[in-house]
Amino acid sequence: MNRLLSSKKWWIAFWSVIFFAVTIPHLAQSGINGYGSFEQGDPSYWNKSSEPGGSSLSWASDEYITLGRSLKITKEATPEAAMWESDNMCDIWSPVHSKDVDIKIGAWIKTEGVNTNPTTEDEKWYVSYTFMNEAGGLIGEVKLLIDQSVSTSSGWVADTNEVGSLVLPEDSWTTIIRFVGGKDAVGTVWADEFLL
């Protein structure tokens, strides 16, 4: 009888281990597909905020610095700006972006066939960083204009702010990055390796 009981316990233990071995990996990964990734059509923490007719926003694999993907906007003159917008970047790097600290921001940029020497805001390509306090109030925004002195860049170019140019007067609890082609901006621009 004891031998039979031991045999039953062994089989119960065996099938329990098999059950958990089969189900746990599926449970552990059930939430992964809800977010963008390198394997999907959308990147993590980035959203197509505005994709008007005449523009195309993609999580591109044709040009990149590292890891095989970059944000890409291709556009002609459109009714409104085309824009990639991040989720709260404080959720990734730090709970807050601290006051009284010299903050370096930027991205690596590559351009092809963009309009040159823009004279209006609507003709410009840029990356912006918006900082908000704990109550959601605007602390400020910094725009980094993408070089449009030439139509096509000679590869990837670092676009960053000057040392000492960004020191927040209070902690930023929400930091949003936008990669924008103004409504009258044309061409193709890739952005990768955002810095904060």
Side-chain angles (χ1 to χ4, degrees), residues 7 25 30 42 65-66 86 101 104 124 129 148 156 178:
S7 176
S30 65
D42 295 319
I65 295 284
T66 56
S86 76
V101 174
K104 187 162 188 75
K124 293 178 181 177
Y129 284 73
Q148 291 177 255
W156 287 90
R178 294 178 182 89

mmCIF file of all heavy atoms in Angstrom, residues 7 25 30 42 65-66 86 101 104 124 129 148 156 178:
data_model
loop_
_atom_site.group_PDB
_atom_site.id
_atom_site.type_symbol
_atom_site.label_atom_id
_atom_site.label_comp_id
_atom_site.label_asym_id
_atom_site.label_seq_id
_atom_site.Cartn_x
_atom_site.Cartn_y
_atom_site.Cartn_z
ATOM 1 N N SER A 7 3.980 5.765 -5.240
ATOM 2 C CA SER A 7 3.912 5.821 -6.689
ATOM 3 C C SER A 7 2.931 6.898 -7.139
ATOM 4 O O SER A 7 3.195 7.652 -8.071
ATOM 5 C CB SER A 7 3.501 4.450 -7.214
ATOM 6 O OG SER A 7 3.339 4.495 -8.607
ATOM 7 N N PRO A 25 5.898 29.630 -18.746
ATOM 8 C CA PRO A 25 6.426 30.505 -19.809
ATOM 9 C C PRO A 25 5.325 31.267 -20.544
ATOM 10 O O PRO A 25 5.509 32.413 -20.919
ATOM 11 C CB PRO A 25 7.145 29.533 -20.750
ATOM 12 C CG PRO A 25 7.499 28.371 -19.894
ATOM 13 C CD PRO A 25 6.385 28.260 -18.896
ATOM 14 N N SER A 30 2.644 36.716 -21.274
ATOM 15 C CA SER A 30 1.339 37.131 -21.768
ATOM 16 C C SER A 30 1.231 38.637 -21.958
ATOM 17 O O SER A 30 0.513 39.091 -22.824
ATOM 18 C CB SER A 30 0.238 36.633 -20.834
ATOM 19 O OG SER A 30 0.370 37.264 -19.575
ATOM 20 N N ASP A 42 5.591 48.427 -33.938
ATOM 21 C CA ASP A 42 5.660 49.678 -33.182
ATOM 22 C C ASP A 42 6.726 49.577 -32.099
ATOM 23 O O ASP A 42 6.882 48.539 -31.463
ATOM 24 C CB ASP A 42 4.313 49.985 -32.528
ATOM 25 C CG ASP A 42 3.226 50.247 -33.554
ATOM 26 O OD1 ASP A 42 3.514 50.934 -34.546
ATOM 27 O OD2 ASP A 42 2.102 49.775 -33.355
ATOM 28 N N ILE A 65 21.288 53.343 -35.992
ATOM 29 C CA ILE A 65 22.620 53.405 -35.383
ATOM 30 C C ILE A 65 22.957 52.043 -34.770
ATOM 31 O O ILE A 65 23.982 51.461 -35.053
ATOM 32 C CB ILE A 65 22.675 54.488 -34.277
ATOM 33 C CG1 ILE A 65 22.473 55.874 -34.870
ATOM 34 C CG2 ILE A 65 23.994 54.435 -33.527
ATOM 35 C CD1 ILE A 65 23.666 56.434 -35.583
ATOM 36 N N THR A 66 22.091 51.563 -33.888
ATOM 37 C CA THR A 66 22.293 50.262 -33.248
ATOM 38 C C THR A 66 20.944 49.561 -33.112
ATOM 39 O O THR A 66 19.898 50.179 -33.256
ATOM 40 C CB THR A 66 22.902 50.410 -31.831
ATOM 41 O OG1 THR A 66 22.053 51.254 -31.063
ATOM 42 C CG2 THR A 66 24.302 50.985 -31.877
ATOM 43 N N SER A 86 6.719 60.370 -27.496
ATOM 44 C CA SER A 86 7.055 59.353 -26.497
ATOM 45 C C SER A 86 6.023 59.310 -25.379
ATOM 46 O O SER A 86 5.265 60.258 -25.173
ATOM 47 C CB SER A 86 8.428 59.649 -25.885
ATOM 48 O OG SER A 86 8.344 60.721 -24.961
ATOM 49 N N VAL A 101 20.367 70.534 -12.256
ATOM 50 C CA VAL A 101 21.351 69.630 -12.865
ATOM 51 C C VAL A 101 21.468 69.998 -14.340
ATOM 52 O O VAL A 101 20.462 70.243 -15.005
ATOM 53 C CB VAL A 101 20.900 68.153 -12.732
ATOM 54 C CG1 VAL A 101 21.838 67.232 -13.480
ATOM 55 C CG2 VAL A 101 20.792 67.748 -11.279
ATOM 56 N N LYS A 104 21.810 66.972 -20.489
ATOM 57 C CA LYS A 104 22.149 66.858 -21.905
ATOM 58 C C LYS A 104 21.045 66.076 -22.600
ATOM 59 O O LYS A 104 20.653 65.007 -22.149
ATOM 60 C CB LYS A 104 23.489 66.160 -22.089
ATOM 61 C CG LYS A 104 23.961 66.164 -23.533
ATOM 62 C CD LYS A 104 25.445 65.876 -23.605
ATOM 63 C CE LYS A 104 26.005 66.058 -24.993
ATOM 64 N NZ LYS A 104 26.170 67.438 -25.389
ATOM 65 N N LYS A 124 10.049 73.439 -40.630
ATOM 66 C CA LYS A 124 11.172 72.890 -39.859
ATOM 67 C C LYS A 124 10.953 71.450 -39.418
ATOM 68 O O LYS A 124 9.838 71.019 -39.146
ATOM 69 C CB LYS A 124 11.425 73.769 -38.630
ATOM 70 C CG LYS A 124 11.924 75.151 -38.995
ATOM 71 C CD LYS A 124 12.126 76.012 -37.764
ATOM 72 C CE LYS A 124 12.612 77.409 -38.181
ATOM 73 N NZ LYS A 124 12.754 78.302 -37.035
ATOM 74 N N TYR A 129 11.864 68.356 -26.338
ATOM 75 C CA TYR A 129 11.768 67.755 -25.017
ATOM 76 C C TYR A 129 10.886 68.669 -24.177
ATOM 77 O O TYR A 129 11.194 69.853 -24.027
ATOM 78 C CB TYR A 129 13.152 67.639 -24.371
ATOM 79 C CG TYR A 129 13.994 66.523 -24.923
ATOM 80 C CD1 TYR A 129 14.558 66.609 -26.193
ATOM 81 C CD2 TYR A 129 14.235 65.375 -24.178
ATOM 82 C CE1 TYR A 129 15.336 65.582 -26.705
ATOM 83 C CE2 TYR A 129 15.021 64.344 -24.677
ATOM 84 C CZ TYR A 129 15.562 64.451 -25.941
ATOM 85 O OH TYR A 129 16.330 63.436 -26.453
ATOM 86 N N GLN A 148 18.986 71.633 -41.522
ATOM 87 C CA GLN A 148 18.394 71.667 -42.859
ATOM 88 C C GLN A 148 19.202 72.586 -43.771
ATOM 89 O O GLN A 148 18.680 73.122 -44.731
ATOM 90 C CB GLN A 148 16.935 72.135 -42.771
ATOM 91 C CG GLN A 148 16.005 71.127 -42.111
ATOM 92 C CD GLN A 148 14.582 71.632 -41.966
ATOM 93 O OE1 GLN A 148 14.165 71.994 -40.868
ATOM 94 N NE2 GLN A 148 13.830 71.650 -43.061
ATOM 95 N N TRP A 156 24.811 59.729 -40.190
ATOM 96 C CA TRP A 156 24.153 60.064 -38.930
ATOM 97 C C TRP A 156 24.886 61.214 -38.252
ATOM 98 O O TRP A 156 26.101 61.226 -38.195
ATOM 99 C CB TRP A 156 24.125 58.851 -38.016
ATOM 100 C CG TRP A 156 23.150 57.806 -38.469
ATOM 101 C CD1 TRP A 156 23.404 56.765 -39.320
ATOM 102 C CD2 TRP A 156 21.775 57.725 -38.129
ATOM 103 N NE1 TRP A 156 22.265 56.038 -39.516
ATOM 104 C CE2 TRP A 156 21.248 56.597 -38.792
ATOM 105 C CE3 TRP A 156 20.930 58.480 -37.317
ATOM 106 C CZ2 TRP A 156 19.916 56.207 -38.665
ATOM 107 C CZ3 TRP A 156 19.603 58.095 -37.183
ATOM 108 C CH2 TRP A 156 19.112 56.973 -37.860
ATOM 109 N N ARG A 178 9.329 64.583 -28.558
ATOM 110 C CA ARG A 178 8.612 64.566 -29.838
ATOM 111 C C ARG A 178 9.621 64.678 -30.978
ATOM 112 O O ARG A 178 10.558 65.470 -30.898
ATOM 113 C CB ARG A 178 7.607 65.712 -29.902
ATOM 114 C CG ARG A 178 6.480 65.584 -28.926
ATOM 115 C CD ARG A 178 5.506 66.754 -28.978
ATOM 116 N NE ARG A 178 4.461 66.609 -27.989
ATOM 117 C CZ ARG A 178 4.547 67.064 -26.727
ATOM 118 N NH1 ARG A 178 5.633 67.709 -26.326
ATOM 119 N NH2 ARG A 178 3.551 66.877 -25.889
#
